[in-house]
Amino acid sequence: PFDCIFCSNPVWKLNKPWIRMRKPESISEEIEYLYQKGVRDIYLRADELNCDLGWAIGVCQEITKLDHKDLFLSTNLRVDQVPEELAKALKDANFWVVFLGVESANDRVLKGVGKMITADNAINAFRTLKKAGIMVNANIMLYNLWEENERLCYETFQEVENTFKFIKDCVNANLIDYLAWSITTPYPGSQLWGLNKKYNFIRKDR
């Protein structure tokens, strides 16, 4: 539903609707099927489970009704839509860890790449989830680039260092349990890929 420049639109936005939210009851039925087959750990592969809070909470409530104490789940969330109500619903459904797209600790960079979140949003999400007893995996990308008014902008070395300091501080404060990071990668079809082509950063034989 958002417009981050690093997402590959031919994958995510080839056809409308861009977001497809299945009935929570249908999702819980599939989970029950897997449970009966012996599965006890499920990664709910919604790119952003909380793109619609009401739907996300409904999914959690249907899973909770299954009442499988030995079934553990994980999923992805945006950091700017994690109220206590959602955290409680996730915990009740036995989600043990969530993956959060933090990307950068620099608001200038987050705005530039179209993420439309802030570092404070991330901290608030960490605190809310940890308070509910859910582990946090923070995902970050290093050396982002974007364009403003036909001018190429870079995430600086100092800003990358600031992101690592941000993560370290959060780990020391017991707000983050796991970390996944990568150098920012331009995927074909993304705005980021187009920028790399425009400025001749992509090898001609690719």
Side-chain angles (χ1 to χ4, degrees):
F2 303 95
D3 203 25
C4 305
I5 70 169
F6 47 82
C7 281
S8 182
N9 287 341
V11 174
W12 301 114
K13 295 185 176 180
L14 181 61
N15 296 302
K16 289 188 176 182
W18 293 339
I19 308 172
R20 294 182 296 276
M21 293 179 288
R22 296 172 50 214
K23 291 182 179 179
E25 295 84 357
S26 176
I27 294 171
S28 68
E29 286 174 6
E30 289 189 359
I31 290 175
E32 177 64 20
Y33 174 83
L34 293 171
Y35 183 86
Q36 295 303 325
K37 294 293 184 181
V39 175
R40 293 296 182 269
D41 195 335
I42 295 177
Y43 173 36
L44 216 59
R45 191 64 176 88
D47 197 56
E48 292 170 337
L49 185 73
N50 58 342
C51 64
D52 182 291
L53 284 175
W55 176 80
I57 291 171
V59 170
C60 292
Q61 290 172 340
E62 290 301 318
I63 296 172
T64 301
K65 289 178 184 178
L66 297 176
D67 198 30
H68 296 315
K69 306 303 183 185
D70 58 342
L71 175 64
F72 302 93
L73 300 103
S74 55
T75 194
N76 309 307
L77 298 178
R78 272 185 68 88
V79 301
D80 60 343
Q81 300 186 69
V82 188
E84 290 187 1
E85 183 183 7
L86 175 61
K88 181 182 184 303
L90 289 164
K91 184 63 176 179
D92 289 345
N94 223 18
F95 282 82
W96 71 276
V97 64
V98 296
F99 301 85
L100 297 168
V102 178
E103 321 311 358
S104 173
N106 305 283
D107 290 350
R108 180 184 82 97
V109 175
L110 292 168
K111 180 180 179 181
V113 301
K115 185 70 179 182
M116 305 311 292
I117 61 172
T118 66
D120 284 344
N121 290 152
I123 291 175
N124 290 336
F126 298 160
R127 287 174 175 162
T128 301
L129 291 164
K130 295 293 289 184
K131 181 180 178 181
I134 300 172
M135 288 188 169
V136 169
N137 187 111
N139 300 326
I140 62 172
M141 304 187 307
L142 308 179
Y143 298 106
N144 291 276
L145 63 84
W146 64 97
E147 196 175 52
E148 292 180 10
N149 300 318
E150 298 295 319
R151 181 175 63 89
L152 189 65
C153 300
Y154 295 89
E155 184 172 27
T156 66
F157 176 79
Q158 185 56 52
E159 285 173 323
V160 170
E161 288 289 297
N162 184 55
T163 295
F164 276 123
K165 181 182 184 300
F166 171 86
I167 294 295
K168 183 178 180 180
D169 289 345
C170 288
V171 170
N172 289 337
N174 294 317
L175 295 178
I176 294 176
D177 302 282
Y178 305 102
L179 170 68
W181 67 274
S182 67
I183 302 297
T184 300
T185 304
Y187 290 103
S190 66
Q191 294 178 54
L192 182 60
W193 177 270
L195 285 178
N196 277 268
K197 295 284 283 186
K198 177 179 179 179
Y199 290 96
N200 297 314
F201 294 151
I202 305 289
R203 284 173 47 181
K204 300 297 183 182
D205 58 347
R206 294 285 176 163

